Amino acid sequence: MNSKTRFTSRVETYTKYRPSYPAEAIDYLYGVVGLNETSEVLDVGAGTGIFSRLLLERGSRVTAVEPNDAMREAALSASRNHPRFQAVAGSAEETGVQDASYDYIVSAQAFHWFDRAAAKREFRRVLKPGGKTILVWNTRLKEGTPFLEGYEKLLRGLGTDYEQVNHQNISREMLNDFFRKDGLSEARFDNRQVLDFDGIAGRLRSSSYTPQPGHPGYEPMMRELRELFERTSENGTVNFDYVTEVYWGEV
């Protein structure tokens, strides 16, 4: 499926059930990386605007670039009246914005969908001299608790194309090649969602590599999820743990 359209039918679950990012990670961007209230930030692959809104809260001016109409509309709806926000149709490879117009480019949970060579050329074009690119992922932990390990097994067994599109396929070599030589910096922060069964079911359905209602694999997947939840939950919830990874530098 085209990476620019595969989330169209998942906007509602994505908006409701995807995790945000820890305050410590945003503090790091403003305390170490250098963002501030005067920063012009381009959020590329902005989706429903989860990350954009965190930057707006800190006072930065944000332009969200998103190729998927439904996701872009969700981002606009959430921040429509914010004076420092705009959302435009575009992609990492063709943002449609002016040359040398942004201090920072951020990409949260999206870089693995990009044509890296084309995106690198485009990022260089739109960044101001000395501008920096920031890549962020909430990386789901795959082991450490019976729930996390069971969830990973469920995805490998019943996901549609999980192995192919998992963002953890992005290697260190790929990151080093994208950033300037010896210019890559990084940081990591703990993140967690505490979810009841409706929450964990919604979180599962928000992933593009899981079958949707009507697909022959949907009901088996939901049955297995229910069994996993009943086996591993405590007091009606499970912990969905992540490490928030931040990679940044000049490209």
Side-chain angles (χ1 to χ4, degrees):
M1 186 185 298
N2 187 327
S3 64
K4 295 179 175 61
T5 60
R6 63 188 291 146
F7 285 98
T8 298
S9 62
R10 303 177 193 263
V11 170
E12 182 178 355
T13 53
Y14 200 103
T15 301
K16 189 173 182 179
Y17 297 111
R18 282 298 178 105
S20 187
Y21 299 84
E24 294 82 1
I26 309 303
D27 289 343
Y28 177 81
L29 297 186
Y30 284 82
V32 176
V33 180
L35 277 75
N36 57 52
E37 292 184 355
T38 68
S39 298
E40 295 280 352
V41 184
L42 192 67
D43 185 355
V44 177
T48 61
I50 294 171
F51 204 81
S52 292
R53 291 190 287 276
L54 297 175
L55 303 182
L56 292 170
E57 290 172 0
R58 300 297 182 101
S60 296
R61 186 179 299 275
V62 180
T63 299
V65 175
E66 173 54 47
N68 184 290
D69 292 342
M71 297 194 86
R72 188 174 64 255
E73 183 55 39
L76 275 168
S77 179
S79 301
R80 190 178 301 278
N81 296 320
H82 200 293
R84 301 179 71 80
F85 178 76
Q86 63 176 330
V88 299
S91 66
E93 301 81 13
E94 294 184 65
T95 61
V97 302
Q98 295 182 347
D99 293 358
S101 52
Y102 287 88
D103 302 298
Y104 297 92
I105 290 174
V106 300
S107 176
Q109 219 70 26
F111 178 76
H112 52 291
W113 299 112
F114 300 166
D115 177 324
R116 292 188 299 277
K120 185 172 183 175
R121 290 192 296 270
E122 180 70 350
F123 286 16
R124 285 177 168 175
R125 181 185 71 79
V126 304
L127 282 168
K128 297 176 183 178
K132 295 178 175 62
T133 293
I134 304 161
L135 308 179
V136 183
W137 282 281
N138 276 323
T139 297
R140 173 179 50 83
L141 298 185
K142 298 179 180 181
E143 54 187 28
T145 69
F147 170 75
L148 293 174
E149 291 162 10
Y151 191 84
E152 175 69 9
K153 181 179 179 182
L154 182 152
L155 293 180
R156 291 186 180 276
L158 297 173
T160 52
D161 54 355
Y162 171 64
E163 299 284 359
Q164 289 72 40
V165 303
N166 183 1
H167 81 259
Q168 295 182 47
N169 291 335
I170 294 293
S171 68
R172 169 65 57 173
E173 181 180 6
M174 293 174 186
L175 291 169
N176 284 333
D177 285 346
F178 190 77
F179 288 92
R180 288 193 176 179
K181 183 175 176 59
D182 299 322
L184 175 61
S185 298
E186 60 190 271
R188 289 171 174 78
F189 307 89
D190 293 333
N191 198 11
R192 168 177 284 180
Q193 291 176 289
V194 180
L195 301 172
D196 61 14
F197 181 75
D198 287 343
I200 199 63
R203 175 64 182 83
L204 179 66
R205 293 195 305 271
S206 77
S207 297
S208 70
Y209 43 70
T210 59
Q212 299 186 78
H215 186 285
Y218 177 75
E219 292 300 334
M221 178 185 70
M222 297 309 294
R223 283 197 299 272
E224 186 165 323
L225 182 67
R226 170 64 77 175
E227 292 170 1
L228 173 65
F229 182 84
E230 291 180 352
R231 190 171 65 249
T232 60
S233 62
E234 296 184 8
N235 300 317
T237 63
V238 293
N239 293 333
F240 205 101
D241 292 321
Y242 308 84
V243 172
T244 300
E245 299 178 292
V246 179
Y247 301 92
W248 62 279
E250 295 186 38
V251 299

